């Protein structure tokens, strides 16, 4: 969706909209709207939208009013974002192709206005590429928003926010694509295309290169698929020459059947988004690179497809990781941690990061624990955990901290190897994090974000339609802005 700034609204655009705060007077509007809004129980609450028709400048216009809640609300920026998103949700498939958004009301600052526009842009993303027989009323129509009355500073702030929106949209695209289109090699190709000309450095390791490095865990996951695995690294050097990079590592299982430990058929189609961690990391990196973040950052994605085959890894197999530690694989559906352990070790060896944060749709147990409201965060560093949770609170990518503790190690000790890849039924998310912790080098601040319940939604949210949410991109961007730049 295009966001265009203009001083004067075009008289040819039929749909006009404005943002109002809860309790604002509407006295300057057409009397039919002034009387109609309260009759429709519109009070300016967050996300409320009232629509009417009125004569504006001698022409009949479709007029929309979106509520942003109370001015002094604790989460004011997120509420403003929801007001913009509500407009997109209502008019995205309305038949209207353009909208004039008047921001001269509601006493908005430049930051406030940018939040509204971010909501408009994020909620305006849709993916209908493979829907060839959509009825006209179900097709996306709204493509352009003309912004008038923007407060001072809005356009400059929007330049940064637009970069973030671009990253979120890239993540949504990656997560939405079906597994016959998105697999390790094509994931790499899409990233190479997206980052072309940005100044970011891209490194790709194939099966042979990873084999030479001893990545037996990551390669073990992918050995049952005809799709070769890839390790993708994207580096951005926007900070000081002597600054150690911040590393983000993503689980990129482009489709997860469970392998030999085959998943039940109902719902298996959802496993196309088991690369949601890698998707978040790729989109977060694109946001940082697009806005030329003043920080050194590296994103690493372990990309595999987990399939059952005569060559597939079996329950009971023992694999040797790049770190030299051996893993007894009791369940081939606990594959994400096998991908991550090699990716995490390689990242530490290759880049010597100042801190490392991984994102992964790692465990169903995380959804049982936190539902679809929070992702879980585990960390060996209190400051890093707090910084991530603060960034998530700012952006709406919420995190809730759970423990890691040596007491849980005994649950994943193996009788024939250094470690087994699953523990007992209890504390499933914790033992998964405990597994990863064994591959973090001493002295390296690390956090693990289990985003299993957050990257895909079965119903619309405040800034996404049903499907991919784009979770993690804004969290990554905000974390870097707050703590590294």
């Amino acid at each position: 969706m295009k966001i265009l700034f203009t001083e004067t609204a075009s008289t040819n655009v039929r749909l006009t909209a404005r943002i109002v705060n809860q309790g604002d007077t509407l006295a300057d509007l057409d009397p039919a709207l002034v009387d109609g809004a309260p009759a429709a129980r519109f009070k300016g609450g967050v996300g409320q939208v009232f629509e009417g028709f009125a004569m504006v400048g001698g022409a009949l216009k479709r007029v929309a009013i979106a509520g942003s809640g109370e001015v002094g609300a604790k989460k004011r920026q997120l509420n403003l974002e929801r007001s913009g998103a509500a407009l997109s949700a209502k008019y995205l498939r309305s038949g209207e192709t353009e909208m004039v958004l008047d921001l001269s009301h509601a006493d908005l600052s430049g930051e406030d206005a940018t939040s509204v526009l971010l909501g408009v842009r994020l909620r305006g993303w849709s993916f209908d590429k493979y829907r060839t027989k959509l009825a006209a009323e179900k097709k996306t129509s709204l493509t352009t928003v003309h912004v008038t009355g923007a407060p001072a500073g809005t356009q400059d702030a929007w330049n940064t926010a637009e970069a973030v929106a671009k990253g979120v949209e890239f993540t949504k695209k990656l997560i939405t694509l079906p597994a016959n289109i998105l697999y390790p090699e094509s994931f790499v190709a899409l990233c190479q295309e997206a980052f072309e000309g940005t100044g970011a450095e891209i490194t790709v390791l194939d099966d042979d290169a990873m084999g030479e490095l001893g990545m037996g865990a990551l390669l073990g996951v992918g050995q049952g698929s005809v799709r070769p695995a890839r390790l993708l690294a994207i580096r951005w050097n926007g900070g000081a020459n002597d600054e150690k990079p911040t590393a983000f590592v993503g689980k990129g299982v482009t489709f997860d059947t469970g392998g030999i430990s085959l998943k039940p058929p109902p719902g298996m189609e959802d496993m196309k988004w088991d690369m949601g961690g890698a998707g978040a990391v790729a989109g977060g990196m694109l946001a940082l690179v697009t806005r030329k973040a003043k920080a050194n950052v590296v994103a690493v994605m372990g990309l595999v497809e987990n399939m059952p085959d005569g060559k597939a890894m079996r329950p009971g197999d023992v694999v040797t990781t790049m770190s030299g530690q051996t893993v007894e694989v009791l369940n081939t559906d606990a594959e994400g941690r096998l991908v991550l352990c090699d990716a995490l070790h390689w990242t530490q060896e290759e880049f010597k990061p100042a801190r490392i944060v991984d994102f992964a749709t790692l465990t169903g147990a995380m959804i049982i624990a936190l539902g679809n409201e929070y992702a879980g965060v585990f960390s060996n560093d209190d400051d890093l955990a707090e910084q991530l949770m603060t960034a998530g609170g700012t952006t709406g990518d919420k995190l809730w901290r759970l423990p890691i503790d040596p007491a849980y190690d005994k649950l994943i000790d193996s009788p024939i190897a250094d470690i087994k890849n699953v523990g007992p039924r209890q504390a499933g998310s914790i033992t998964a994090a405990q597994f990863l912790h064994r591959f973090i080098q001493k002295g390296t601040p690390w956090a693990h974000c289990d985003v299993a319940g957050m990257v895909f939604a079965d119903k619309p949210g405040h800034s996404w339609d049903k499907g991919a949410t784009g979770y993690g991109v804004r969290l990554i961007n905000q974390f870097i802005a707050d703590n590294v730049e």
Side-chain angles (χ1 to χ4, degrees):
M1 183 178 291
K2 294 180 182 178
I3 306 289
L4 304 177
F5 292 87
T6 181
E7 292 184 7
T8 306
S10 170
T11 58
N12 296 325
V13 180
R14 183 171 61 171
L15 173 61
T16 65
R18 69 160 64 176
I19 305 298
V20 299
N21 303 312
Q22 190 165 320
D24 279 359
T25 177
L26 305 176
D28 63 318
L29 292 173
D30 185 281
L33 299 174
V34 175
D35 294 338
R41 295 184 176 179
F42 177 85
K43 298 180 180 180
V46 179
Q48 276 191 306
V49 177
F50 171 74
E51 178 190 71
F53 288 84
M55 297 300 293
V56 179
L60 184 65
K61 298 288 186 181
R62 192 174 185 177
V63 180
I65 310 166
S68 63
E70 298 178 359
V71 174
K74 185 177 180 181
K75 296 185 178 181
R76 175 65 170 164
Q77 299 307 316
L78 289 175
N79 288 345
L80 287 162
E81 185 181 307
R82 288 180 65 186
S83 69
L87 289 171
S88 280
K90 185 171 182 63
Y91 295 107
L92 188 63
R93 296 177 174 86
S94 65
E96 304 290 353
T97 59
E98 297 178 277
M99 177 173 68
V100 172
L101 178 56
D102 182 1
L103 295 178
S104 61
H105 306 276
D107 193 26
L108 301 176
S109 67
E111 182 184 12
D112 293 340
T114 300
S115 293
V116 173
L117 297 180
L118 185 58
V120 170
R121 172 75 178 259
L122 292 179
R123 188 61 177 82
W125 185 87
S126 64
F127 190 88
D128 297 328
K129 181 176 180 179
Y130 303 117
R131 305 182 73 181
T132 63
K133 296 183 179 181
L134 272 179
E137 63 270 17
K138 294 183 179 181
K139 291 181 179 180
T140 298
S141 60
L142 186 64
T143 60
T144 306
V145 176
H146 302 275
V147 181
T148 64
T154 302
Q155 292 193 44
D156 288 341
W158 175 244
N159 290 336
T160 297
E162 188 175 30
V164 176
K166 182 178 179 181
V168 172
E169 290 164 352
F170 185 56
T171 294
K172 287 181 177 180
K173 176 182 177 180
L174 292 172
I175 290 173
T176 302
L177 287 171
N180 62 319
I181 303 298
L182 187 79
Y183 43 89
E185 291 169 297
S186 61
F187 189 112
V188 169
L190 285 169
C191 286
Q192 289 172 328
E193 180 183 354
F195 285 88
E196 186 177 2
T198 63
E201 301 173 4
I202 293 181
T203 301
V204 182
L205 302 186
D206 61 13
D207 282 355
D208 289 341
M210 288 186 282
E212 290 178 6
L213 290 168
M215 295 188 185
L218 188 155
L219 291 174
V221 175
Q223 71 189 32
S225 173
V226 297
R227 304 289 192 187
R230 292 290 183 266
L231 190 72
L232 170 64
I234 305 171
R235 184 167 188 170
W236 170 251
N237 296 315
N241 291 333
D242 60 348
E243 174 190 315
K244 289 185 176 181
T246 296
F248 297 102
V249 177
K251 170 193 170 184
V253 180
T254 57
F255 194 78
D256 181 22
T257 66
I260 297 299
S261 305
L262 195 67
K263 293 177 180 290
M268 193 191 290
E269 68 277 5
D270 290 342
M271 289 300 96
K272 71 175 186 177
W273 49 258
D274 206 20
M275 39 59 65
V281 167
M285 196 67 177
L286 185 59
L288 294 171
V289 171
T290 300
R291 71 172 181 82
K292 307 299 182 186
K294 294 179 175 60
N296 294 337
V297 188
V298 62
V300 177
M301 290 143 277
L303 306 170
V304 300
E305 186 178 67
N306 187 22
M307 299 289 285
D309 181 80
K311 296 180 181 178
M313 189 166 51
R314 297 159 294 247
D317 284 358
V318 173
V319 296
T320 302
T321 68
M322 182 183 172
S323 71
Q325 297 180 75
T326 56
V327 180
E328 182 186 13
V329 180
L330 297 185
N331 187 330
T332 63
D333 194 24
E335 84 299 332
R337 64 203 72 182
L338 299 174
V339 174
L340 283 174
C341 70
D342 277 340
L344 286 166
H345 184 78
W346 181 80
T347 300
Q348 293 169 96
E349 290 292 307
E350 185 74 13
F351 299 107
K352 309 297 182 186
R355 60 196 66 81
I356 187 166
V357 182
D358 73 71
F359 288 80
T361 52
L362 205 63
T363 65
M366 195 78 270
I367 303 175
I368 300 302
L370 298 178
N372 304 105
E373 298 299 326
Y374 287 81
V377 61
F378 305 78
S379 184
N380 63 359
D381 185 278
D382 292 342
D383 290 340
L384 178 58
E386 186 62 35
Q387 290 163 356
L388 286 165
M389 289 189 290
T390 298
T394 299
T395 63
D397 287 351
K398 297 183 292 185
L399 291 166
W400 192 269
R401 191 175 184 185
L402 289 94
I404 54 171
D405 189 283
Y408 292 102
D409 275 331
K410 63 180 179 292
L411 299 179
I412 52 174
D413 285 336
S414 166
I416 66 166
D418 296 323
I419 187 173
K420 57 187 178 182
N421 76 325
V422 290
R425 185 175 182 183
Q426 64 266 29
S429 296
I430 298 172
T431 53
Q434 202 72 35
F435 179 98
L436 297 178
H437 188 216
R438 292 200 183 189
F439 296 87
I440 301 301
Q441 296 171 2
K442 187 176 181 180
T444 301
W446 159 77
H448 159 59
C449 300
D450 191 333
V451 299
M454 305 305 292
V455 302
F456 200 86
D458 60 6
K459 59 184 178 180
H462 76 272
S463 63
W464 59 84
D465 202 348
K466 177 181 177 180
T469 66
Y471 181 94
V473 174
R474 298 172 64 191
L475 170 61
I476 288 170
N477 177 72
Q478 192 69 45
F479 172 79
I480 292 295
D482 290 346
N483 303 287
V484 182
E485 289 187 281

